[in-house]
């Protein structure tokens, strides 16, 4: 199922939602080289959230591969708590970025409209950084695969949408097959 429209009109422009989308796209273009393989790998290694690094469950210098043909990432000394924030603006592919930003645009504008803008920023950061990233880091404390993306925040926005607007109609496309 792919949602493409909802019947929930907003009263104010979604400036914060647009700014978050803009920051994610800028990070993809400038930091991740618009998907250039080595730039994506370097950004994920250097700015992604590695649960084992944050929880200090593996020794510094431990190498872990990202994938076939990609360089191995090395666990840095120290917790690198800033990666909790930087990882939410990185994505693994164009589809990862586009999917997250589409769902944020479709549902985030209504959640932003229901809150003040500063509350929406706090909510967005809290559901991604506290709820999603930190809970996953605690649950997978020895995992050395970096976490990137805004999926945790988007899930929180969609959950808020469901709670605030349980009866609003959301129009979706249902693909009947996949082309490979």
């Amino acid at each position: 199922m792919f949602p493409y429209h909802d019947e929930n009109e907003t009263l104010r422009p979604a400036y914060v939602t647009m700014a978050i989308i803009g920051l994610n796209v800028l990070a993809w273009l400038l930091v991740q080289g618009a998907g250039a393989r080595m730039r994506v790998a370097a950004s994920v290694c250097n700015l992604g959230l590695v649960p084992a690094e944050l929880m200090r469950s593996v020794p510094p210098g431990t190498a872990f591969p990202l994938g076939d043909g990609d360089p191995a990432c090395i666990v840095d000394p120290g917790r690198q708590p800033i990666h909790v924030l930087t990882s939410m603006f990185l994505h693994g592919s164009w589809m990862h970025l586009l999917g997250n930003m589409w769902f944020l645009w479709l549902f985030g504008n209504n959640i932003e409209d229901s809150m003040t803008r500063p509350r929406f920023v706090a909510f967005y950061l809290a559901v991604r950084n506290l709820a999603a990233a930190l809970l996953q880091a605690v649950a997978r404390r020895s995992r050395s695969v970096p976490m990137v993306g805004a999926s945790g925040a988007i899930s929180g926005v969609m959950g808020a949408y469901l709670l605030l607007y349980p009866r609003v109609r959301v129009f979706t496309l249902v693909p009947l097959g996949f082309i490979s």
Side-chain angles (χ1 to χ4, degrees), residues 65-168:
L66 274 182
D68 293 336
D70 290 329
C73 295
I74 309 250
V75 173
D76 294 328
R79 292 186 188 266
Q80 309 298 334
I82 191 69
H83 292 181
V84 174
L85 181 65
T86 59
S87 66
M88 73 183 298
F89 295 101
L90 303 176
H91 290 82
S93 69
W94 270 107
M95 290 304 293
H96 186 203
L97 174 71
L98 291 174
N100 276 341
M101 296 306 102
W102 177 255
F103 277 77
L104 177 59
W105 176 249
L106 188 62
F107 300 111
N109 63 345
N110 296 116
I111 302 307
E112 179 181 344
D113 199 37
S114 72
M115 304 177 172
T116 63
R117 290 186 174 110
R119 281 180 55 201
F120 180 68
V121 170
F123 171 77
Y124 185 87
L125 293 173
V127 295
R128 166 46 171 90
N129 290 332
L130 297 178
L134 293 179
L135 285 174
Q136 187 169 353
V138 168
R140 303 208 177 225
R141 64 183 322 113
S142 62
R143 188 173 177 165
S144 48
V145 176
M147 300 183 322
V148 294
S151 301
I154 307 309
S155 297
V157 167
M158 291 173 60
Y161 188 95
L162 182 63
L163 289 174
L164 292 173
Y165 309 109
R167 299 200 192 307
V168 171

